[in-house]
Amino acid sequence: MTDRLSPLEIMQKLVSFPTVSRDTNLPLIDWVEEYLGSHGITSHRYNKPDEPKAALFAHVGPWEEGAIVLSGHTDVVPVEGQPWDTDPFEVVEFEDRYAGRGTCDMKGFDALAVWALVEAQYAPLKRPLQLALSFDEEIGCTGAPPMIEAMQPVLPKGAAVIVGEPSMMQAVSGHKGGTGFDTHVQGFEVHSSILDRGVNAVMYGAKLIDWANDINAANRDAEPGVLASAFDPPYTTAHVGMIQGGTAHNITAKDCRFAMDFRVVPGEDKAIWEKRYRDRVAEVEAMMQAVVPETRIHVTPRFDVPALAPEEAGAAEELVRRITGDNASHVVSYGTEAGQFQEAGYSAVICGPGDIAQAHQPNEFITKEQFQAGHRFMERLIGTLCD
């Protein structure tokens, strides 16, 4: 693999690996490591304990601190149940777009980052460039923190991180934080004709879900804070997107399981939202136990993603603005690994090709114009690092 592949050729290869978060990403990592190695670039891994997954990071240019880090995740969301018109794990070219799972979120950027690292290897860099590819982003950004920790003793510390989530190549300097909790309501089964003697886990779980509706309504009607006002919507939201429970229509449900997630605006403490939720859980649990004492509600933290706070004269944002010419202010409501890099002491910004509206969709795509814009960005970035 001594040839220098084009960004499109690399994206085609990356998309061909079905790296759904529940499955392994090792074949993709193996390929990237081999490809980089064929160009004299040494890769390093963080291996996830007890699961066949790994993060990969690498460095080119002067062996010194101050690198620009290109950061992306390798996992994608499932395709089951989605009406795809083409093979999701093949890049299919149309007149104005490339379709395939991950083309937008975010193997398009990953391909551009791998391309840039190889090109930078052959350029007279005066400032280093690094690559960081994580796993398990789609299930709560759980793969980045151990990867970031593993990078510290191995590579010179980077100065600025560009997280390439789809932002239409705009410099996004802030996003909401996120925290989520797996919730298991343990009820007591009886025939539904005597439901007053049982504890229907689904119906008591519904009290917690309706609490989320009330929270959203109250937050929507409140005056947003200074930091929150830039977001859409300009408030913290509570959300339940999955629920399971019950065995038959005429039995009070013994179990109900769902995920309660919060997207928290910068300036608000995620721990406060956790406490408010646990307080409500305790109230509902007390109602259940007044009927059957052995019933319970178990709440288990699932993920915790820090917000990305806009930086005063941030190095990452300044660099991206200089390359793109984008001087507007942008924030997003979705969470990314940028907040985790920022929490670890890096300056961080989001900038990547594609429209977030295409992420996770059937027939996911990135437009050719956006992919080309990302390519031009990488060319200019390498030029900047050579100046």
Side-chain angles (χ1 to χ4, degrees), residues 198-212:
V199 173
N200 189 318
V202 169
M203 296 182 73
Y204 278 94
K207 293 179 182 293
L208 296 174
I209 295 171
D210 200 42
W211 173 86

Side-chain angles (χ1 to χ4, degrees), residues 21-304:
S21 301
R22 63 171 179 258
D23 301 322
T24 183
N25 73 334
L26 292 183
L28 182 152
I29 294 296
D30 291 342
W31 184 87
V32 173
E33 183 174 41
E34 184 180 353
Y35 178 62
L36 295 180
S38 72
H39 292 283
I41 301 172
T42 299
S43 298
H44 308 271
R45 295 192 186 199
Y46 167 79
N47 295 300
K48 184 177 182 180
D50 304 321
E51 286 193 51
K53 297 179 181 180
L56 178 144
F57 43 93
H59 176 110
V60 299
W63 194 258
E64 61 188 30
E65 295 188 351
I68 303 302
V69 184
L70 301 175
S71 170
H73 61 81
T74 60
D75 59 318
V76 296
V77 297
V79 299
E80 288 84 0
Q82 294 188 330
W84 282 77
D85 297 326
T86 61
D87 182 347
F89 299 108
E90 177 185 351
V91 174
V92 179
E93 183 174 355
F94 294 92
E95 182 178 355
D96 63 341
R97 66 188 65 183
Y98 300 111
R101 174 58 86 218
T103 50
C104 176
D105 184 20
M106 60 180 299
K107 291 180 177 179
F109 176 85
D110 292 347
L112 291 165
V114 171
W115 176 87
L117 201 72
V118 170
E119 293 302 306
Q121 173 75 341
Y122 297 99
L125 296 186
K126 295 181 180 178
R127 183 178 179 183
L129 182 68
Q130 293 179 356
L131 172 71
L133 298 178
S134 71
F135 58 88
D136 284 355
E137 190 273 349
E138 296 291 4
I139 57 174
C141 295
T142 59
M147 176 189 71
I148 295 168
E149 183 178 0
M151 291 170 63
Q152 307 304 308
V154 176
L155 302 183
K157 180 68 176 285
V161 179
I162 301 171
V163 176
E165 293 282 0
S167 72
M168 298 296 286
M169 296 309 299
Q170 295 175 330
V172 173
S173 58
H175 66 62
K176 292 184 179 181
T179 188
F181 305 92
D182 289 329
T183 305
H184 177 198
V185 183
Q186 252 184 315
F188 185 79
E189 290 178 308
V190 298
H191 193 281
S192 61
S193 64
I194 52 171
L195 62 82
D196 60 311
R197 300 173 215 177
V199 173
N200 189 318
V202 169
M203 296 182 73
Y204 278 94
K207 293 179 182 293
L208 296 174
I209 295 171
D210 200 42
W211 173 86
N213 290 326
D214 292 341
I215 287 295
N216 290 334
N219 287 353
R220 182 190 62 229
D221 294 340
E223 186 71 24
V226 175
L227 290 176
S229 61
F231 289 84
D232 182 17
Y235 51 85
T236 293
T237 57
H239 177 253
V240 174
M242 298 171 58
I243 186 170
Q244 296 176 323
T247 55
H249 72 92
N250 59 352
I251 304 175
T252 58
K254 181 181 179 181
D255 296 288
C256 179
R257 292 178 171 86
F258 57 88
M260 179 69 75
D261 296 346
F262 298 89
R263 292 191 181 272
V264 182
V265 294
E268 292 186 5
D269 188 347
K270 297 192 302 298
I272 291 176
W273 285 104
E274 177 179 359
K275 182 180 184 306
R276 292 185 65 180
Y277 181 52
R278 289 185 182 275
D279 286 347
R280 180 56 179 158
V281 166
E283 292 173 355
V284 174
E285 186 179 61
M287 297 177 203
M288 296 165 52
Q289 291 176 347
V291 182
V292 180
E294 59 265 33
T295 55
R296 295 284 185 275
I297 302 178
H298 305 277
V299 175
T300 306
R302 189 174 76 261
F303 71 89
D304 185 17

